[in-house]
Amino acid sequence: MTFSIAHAEQELHKRSATLNTRWYPRYHLAARAGWMNDPNGLVWFDGWYHAFYQHHPYSTQWGPMHWGHARSKDLVHWEHLPVALAPEGPEDKDGCFSGSAVVDGDTLALIYTGHKFHGDSSSDDNLYQVQCLATSRDGIHFERQGQIIDTPAGLHHFRDPKVWREGETWYLIVGSRVGDTGQVRLYRSDDLRLWQEDGILAEAQEGMGFMWECPDFFTLNGKCVLMFSPQGLAAEGYRNRNLFQSGYLIGDWLPGQQFVAQSEFIELDHGHDFYAPQSFLTPDGRRIVIGWLDMWESPLPEQQDGWAGMLSLPREIRLGADNRLRMTPAEEMAVLRGSYYPLLAQQLKNQSAPVVEEAEAIELELVWEMNTATAECYGFTLGDGLRVFVDAQSQRLVLERRYPQFALEGSRSVPLPAGDRLALRIFIDRSSVEVFVNDGDACLSSRIYPQETQRQLAIFASSGSATLSSGGYWPLDK
């Protein structure tokens, strides 16, 4: 099959007209139709936020990757634009894989991985991944500049470039695999076209994964943050429960040296579905992160509806005094709020209390008093499929989903925060929930698939009592 942007647009026009929207998000970014995974090229350019993403327009399955494209004035209301990249050249004939975007004067530059096989595609021995460049003056139509970095000798997995500028120098990091060891390699350039190797920025120690995908590197409060998605981490107790993880290391770095980690690997989001996060700066200097709100090799029931995959809410990250990232919804999310419906302070004892009959797109706030609670479990439910609750015996906050008809069952959890107050800020969309704990202590994000009659939202306490000291919700809509 010959791929082109024109063919992709024709296919999307046809497929988008037949979507079943029962789970299609009301306020998250999803593709017009077909498959979506990693966010790419998040950037502010010429008065717009731009979000690119891995995209297969021709089916709801992963396939030869294109770059989908949307833009927004406010990080909330997204306008779909034509597909930005299609696998049209010899350097990317089997896919335009993940990458990043930077502003170079009056030009928007996309730096991405060209994915190609020389021979039989069933063997990684024939796989080559190179880094490529495309540029635009209007932020919509891109001119392909071809390959800018070749595959290093002996490597096959070499992908997901992230580019930034310090002074007059551009830096580029890229994830790679050497044997069964993940690496982040570093390059530098004066013009985005000619690149010089600058060594290994960081490398996996034993047990830290065979491939480090989607690396990102930035500074917060004078410390360097290396954010990446390692493949091959073993589950350990409550940690690393997903097939693949995403998280970060905190440390120090100077040009010409290796990154020196000063923390253990910390997962960024503790739900079932969050991968390949990428960050960017807003014009006012906030560091925003968006991730793929799905997980590899997890069932995606929306595929039967003509689409697959979505992106998370934009989240602001800050570095706390404990050298951990705190992640909260971007302040722009407030523009979606309708009228506020407060909840009365109340004590629940072995009972459930309704909050809203149909929670399809809402933001919910709940503040629980932990020091007076005697209940073994207390929290909220959405129909029969979702429970988010305090487990007093394990002293953890648990997100439990149960959709056995789709083979989606199980729980994820985080330790309860210190103190006597548990404040939850919860975003529910048609097929997702994102729970933010105590103004950034933790976040749990998961896909959910309620039937039409299973969207009743309620608070509860079982095997004892619990006090809701305050709460309320806003309907959200575009």
Side-chain angles (χ1 to χ4, degrees), residues 97 113-115 127-131 150-151 156-159:
F97 274 24
T113 295
H115 180 74
L127 170 64
Y128 294 90
Q129 294 183 327
V130 300
Q131 313 318 314
D150 201 357
T151 315
H156 295 282
H157 293 272
F158 176 67
R159 56 184 175 267

Side-chain angles (χ1 to χ4, degrees), residues 167 288 360 393:
I288 301 292
E360 185 179 80
Q393 296 182 72

Side-chain angles (χ1 to χ4, degrees), residues 442-456:
C443 183
L444 300 99
S445 303
S446 294
R447 295 298 298 274
I448 57 176
Y449 295 92
Q451 301 300 314
E452 285 187 14
T453 59
Q454 291 291 320
R455 291 193 175 276
Q456 308 92 346

Side-chain angles (χ1 to χ4, degrees), residues 126-358:
N126 299 320
L127 170 64
Y128 294 90
Q129 294 183 327
V130 300
Q131 313 318 314
C132 304
L133 175 68
T135 57
S136 172
R137 291 292 181 92
D138 64 6
I140 299 174
H141 305 93
F142 290 85
E143 183 178 346
R144 299 159 60 92
Q145 306 293 330
Q147 176 182 306
I148 53 174
I149 301 177
D150 201 357
T151 315
L155 292 191
H156 295 282
H157 293 272
F158 176 67
R159 56 184 175 267
D160 311 335
K162 180 62 186 282
V163 178
W164 76 98
R165 191 171 194 165
E166 294 193 19
E168 297 301 312
T169 302
W170 294 101
Y171 288 94
L172 178 153
I173 55 172
V174 61
S176 64
R177 176 178 181 176
V178 178
D180 286 327
T181 300
Q183 288 182 337
V184 174
R185 294 183 170 232
L186 179 66
Y187 293 78
R188 56 187 167 90
S189 172
D190 294 327
D191 62 1
L192 293 177
R193 287 165 171 78
L194 297 175
W195 292 88
Q196 178 179 334
E197 288 189 59
D198 217 17
I200 305 299
L201 181 73
E203 187 170 55
Q205 303 302 307
E206 185 175 355
M208 269 303 296
F210 59 79
M211 175 68 195
W212 285 7
E213 289 198 313
C214 303
D216 198 345
F217 197 56
F218 50 89
T219 301
L220 285 174
N221 292 358
K223 303 299 292 185
C224 292
V225 181
L226 177 59
M227 190 169 67
F228 58 104
S229 297
Q231 297 181 324
L233 269 59
E236 180 183 349
Y238 292 110
R239 300 174 59 187
N240 306 329
R241 300 306 308 180
N242 292 329
L243 178 62
F244 299 121
Q245 322 307 319
S246 58
Y248 62 92
L249 299 166
I250 304 293
D252 291 318
W253 173 75
L254 290 173
Q257 299 181 17
Q258 274 201 331
F259 169 74
V260 179
Q262 297 171 339
S263 74
E264 64 177 355
F265 176 77
I266 303 170
E267 291 179 82
L268 196 59
D269 188 294
H270 298 268
H272 295 87
D273 296 294
F274 190 79
Y275 192 72
Q278 186 173 116
S279 78
F280 67 102
L281 285 174
T282 62
D284 60 2
R286 290 172 293 149
R287 177 69 59 173
I288 301 292
V289 165
I290 298 176
W292 182 41
L293 198 52
D294 271 302
M295 182 53 58
W296 294 112
E297 299 184 31
S298 176
L300 301 176
E302 72 270 22
Q303 287 176 312
Q304 62 191 282
D305 293 344
W307 66 284
M310 57 192 279
L311 300 188
S312 75
L313 295 182
R315 303 150 180 215
E316 183 176 355
I317 55 171
R318 304 177 180 90
L319 186 63
D322 57 357
N323 260 7
R324 297 176 71 96
L325 295 183
R326 303 183 68 83
M327 187 162 60
T328 53
E331 60 190 36
E332 286 85 351
M333 295 307 302
V335 306
L336 291 177
R337 291 173 175 171
S339 298
Y340 183 65
Y341 296 86
L343 298 177
L344 295 176
Q346 56 191 292
Q347 184 184 72
L348 302 174
K349 184 174 182 180
N350 301 324
Q351 68 186 107
S352 175
V355 174
V356 62
E357 183 61 28
E358 186 173 356

Side-chain angles (χ1 to χ4, degrees), residues 71-114:
R71 69 179 181 180
S72 171
K73 287 288 189 180
D74 61 5
L75 280 176
V76 175
H77 300 92
W78 292 96
E79 172 194 355
H80 286 288
L81 294 174
V83 168
L85 297 173
E88 301 176 277
E91 67 277 4
D92 59 16
K93 66 184 182 66
D94 295 308
C96 300
F97 274 24
S98 295
S100 56
V102 293
V103 178
D104 183 18
D106 61 355
T107 299
L108 179 59
L110 307 185
I111 302 93
Y112 68 98
T113 295

Side-chain angles (χ1 to χ4, degrees), residues 400-469:
E400 178 184 81
R401 66 178 178 184
R402 187 164 59 88
Y403 302 100
Q405 69 272 41
F406 303 124
L408 284 169
E409 296 186 272
S411 64
R412 298 289 183 267
S413 65
V414 294
L416 291 177
D420 56 10
R421 177 177 173 274
L422 177 66
L424 303 179
R425 190 174 173 194
I426 302 125
F427 289 81
I428 295 172
D429 207 337
R430 283 177 175 156
S431 60
S432 66
V433 60
E434 291 164 90
V435 181
F436 297 87
V437 182
N438 276 23
D439 196 32
D441 270 356
C443 183
L444 300 99
S445 303
S446 294
R447 295 298 298 274
I448 57 176
Y449 295 92
Q451 301 300 314
E452 285 187 14
T453 59
Q454 291 291 320
R455 291 193 175 276
Q456 308 92 346
L457 183 67
I459 54 176
F460 77 95
S462 60
S463 300
S465 65
T467 298
L468 181 76
S469 61

